[in-house]
Amino acid sequence: MDSITATVREMYTHFPYPAGAPMLRQGTDARLLLSHSRRGRPAGAPIRVLDAGCGRGVGLIGGAVLSPDIDFLGVDLCTRSLDEARAQVQSRGLANVRLQELDLMTLDGLDAPAGGFDVILSSGVVHHLVDPLAGLKRLREHLAPHGVLSLMVYGRHGREALYRVVRAIDALVPRTAPLAERLRVGRELVGSIDSPAFMAGPWNDQRAIGDAEFVDRYLNVHETSYDVSGLLALIEGAGLEFLRWSEPADWDVGTLLPIGPLRERALALAPREQWQLVDSMFWRPGLELFVCHAGNGSRDPFDARRAQYEALCLSPEATLHFERRNLRGLQRNESLSVRVRRREPLVVGTGPLAQALLLLEDQLEPFLYPEFVRVLGERGVAEPAARAAVEELLRQEVLYRPHIADL
């Protein structure tokens, strides 16, 4: 193990990360991730997921609880974090989770399945490696040909206010000082100084966060952050291909900029230039995206003319909200809405979209596109309107299209 990796491990041994209870993180559902890439998975084997740098298992366990038919392997270099994750696994009786301690820079001894992992999750890890490009290449070597890698690295522009705090701490106490002393000085600094430069953007909760979060954020012993150009160069250098941002709406100049000549000028730019513009103008502290092997690429758009055997599912990242009023002898829906990830809720009235959402409320299994249209027809929705409603829900990412082998 190289000296930088050893120092990172020591830091996380004293301050295990991340804090919090197990949860389903955005951009980590295996079937949803696999639905974005062109190549389907061979049938007959369970989906295998690698969480590369699982830490205390917050995301790993959250995903495993909700997907008991998927095999998860969590790896990390920190014994203490893995011990905490292991205790959580045992207390929940999870039979679909394994944990392994190893050096993420080399992945030597990784218990990988033949053919590679279907999905690899790497959130907030690659940027702590001594050589992020080499580390990402090694992850790619263990990704199945059809597989998808969910990646999050630090955004350089979005962390500018944070780095002001880091530089201020470094000026007051050197990095060679014990971590406990740096933590004490850092806490005193953000607790006593109301600096507009420190409180900008998303970094305005310094006084409320715990010590582990403070250390990870402001006192990290090694990290590399990226702008859009640097990130795309990293994934292409590793032999990977961009699929999409975890939240495309965060990078859409067509909705982020006001209607008018400014938006038209921005939309005339190439996609990469649009993303660079967004990165410069808005707070993007974490760059979250999905990648695959070069040559796999994005799946073809939905085509209703060839959708006879197209399966549809309610997205695990969509939440349905119903407001109902109980009256004497009847129940009336007051309002219906659906929210995808952190977007503004889509509120619908009483038309075809509302009927489609009511149908989805109790839908626990995938369904074929023609069948969904037929059932909407039985509820009084004309076929053209039913088809338009389903296609709108696909466009809004309320619905997604799993590959057949993943059903």
Side-chain angles (χ1 to χ4, degrees):
M1 181 179 293
D2 63 84
S3 59
I4 289 178
T5 302
T7 304
V8 171
R9 180 173 66 174
E10 182 180 5
M11 180 191 74
Y12 284 122
T13 296
H14 292 292
F15 297 94
Y17 193 81
M23 59 182 292
L24 180 63
R25 287 175 167 166
Q26 176 181 315
T28 62
D29 183 84
R31 288 183 172 86
L32 182 57
L33 285 169
L34 289 168
S35 74
H36 295 306
S37 69
R38 183 181 304 120
R39 295 178 181 171
R41 184 175 64 91
I47 297 174
R48 295 183 171 90
V49 175
L50 170 67
D51 191 336
C54 65
R56 297 176 57 253
V58 169
L60 172 73
I61 294 169
V65 167
L66 295 177
S67 301
D69 61 333
I70 293 178
D71 290 340
F72 291 85
L73 172 62
V75 301
D76 203 272
L77 78 169
C78 181
T79 304
R80 181 178 174 184
S81 294
L82 288 173
D83 286 344
E84 293 188 22
R86 192 169 289 110
Q88 293 274 3
V89 169
Q90 292 173 351
S91 69
R92 287 170 168 77
L94 297 176
N96 61 329
V97 178
R98 294 176 297 124
L99 296 164
Q100 186 178 7
E101 181 178 339
L102 49 77
D103 183 350
L104 294 169
M105 188 61 231
T106 65
L107 294 179
D108 287 344
L110 177 66
D111 186 12
F117 292 94
D118 302 294
V119 168
I120 296 179
L121 310 175
S122 177
S123 178
V125 177
V126 167
H127 50 235
H128 292 310
L129 300 180
V130 61
D131 186 342
L133 177 59
L136 193 55
K137 284 181 177 179
R138 290 188 177 91
L139 288 178
R140 185 212 68 213
E141 292 169 358
H142 294 288
L143 182 68
H146 58 271
V148 174
L149 191 158
S150 178
L151 177 68
M152 188 281 278
V153 296
Y154 290 158
R156 182 175 303 151
H157 296 318
R159 295 171 69 84
E160 286 174 353
L162 182 153
Y163 290 142
R164 288 176 179 266
V165 181
V166 173
R167 290 192 293 269
I169 295 173
D170 289 347
L172 292 168
V173 57
R175 293 197 171 208
T176 54
L179 190 56
E181 181 182 354
R182 284 174 54 77
L183 176 60
R184 178 182 59 79
V185 173
R187 284 292 201 186
E188 184 178 354
L189 174 67
V190 303
S192 59
I193 305 297
D194 289 321
S195 169
F198 289 179
M199 307 300 284
W203 312 112
N204 54 13
D205 60 347
Q206 301 100 321
R207 298 173 185 177
I209 59 177
D211 284 350
E213 179 67 32
F214 194 96
V215 169
D216 181 77
R217 186 186 296 185
Y218 299 108
L219 305 176
N220 214 295
V221 296
H222 183 77
E223 67 179 57
T224 304
S225 56
Y226 295 87
D227 58 17
V228 167
S229 295
L231 174 59
L232 295 177
L234 174 71
I235 63 173
E236 290 165 2
L240 294 163
E241 181 176 332
F242 176 91
L243 275 176
R244 55 170 275 166
W245 298 105
S246 176
E247 177 49 277
D250 286 347
W251 298 89
D252 183 7
V253 297
T255 57
L256 293 171
L257 298 181
I259 296 174
L262 188 64
R263 179 192 287 185
E264 296 306 314
R265 183 181 291 269
L267 288 171
L269 299 173
R272 292 188 181 209
E273 294 172 323
Q274 293 183 25
W275 301 334
Q276 290 166 351
L277 176 64
V278 172
D279 196 21
S280 298
M281 294 179 60
F282 300 93
W283 295 106
R284 298 292 180 262
L287 306 183
E288 303 178 52
L289 71 164
F290 309 147
V291 298
C292 61
H293 282 285
N296 184 357
S298 299
R299 197 166 175 192
D300 292 335
F302 176 78
D303 186 347
R305 296 169 299 180
R306 295 192 291 271
Q308 182 178 358
Y309 300 107
E310 188 90 67
L312 303 175
C313 288
L314 179 64
S315 171
E317 297 183 336
T319 53
L320 302 174
H321 303 272
F322 299 88
E323 292 185 6
R324 291 191 172 100
R325 186 183 302 276
N326 287 335
L327 304 170
R328 184 173 181 175
L330 61 87
Q331 185 181 71
R332 186 176 70 192
N333 289 311
E334 297 290 307
S335 68
L336 294 82
S337 65
V338 58
R339 184 175 186 179
V340 178
R341 296 182 288 274
R342 298 184 298 269
R343 299 179 190 174
E344 289 297 314
L346 172 66
V347 181
V348 301
T350 59
L353 274 180
Q355 290 297 323
L357 291 179
L358 286 169
L359 185 57
L360 289 169
E361 182 182 16
D362 298 319
Q363 185 68 44
L364 302 180
E365 298 293 333
F367 48 84
L368 293 179
Y369 170 67
E371 179 67 11
F372 195 61
V373 171
R374 184 189 65 78
V375 175
L376 282 175
E378 293 176 353
R379 296 190 174 196
V381 180
E383 183 174 326
R387 293 181 181 275
V390 173
E391 291 175 29
E392 177 64 11
L393 292 177
L394 281 167
R395 190 183 71 83
Q396 296 281 355
E397 298 189 331
V398 176
L399 297 174
Y400 79 100
R401 303 179 292 145
H403 286 290
I404 295 299
D406 300 332
L407 297 178

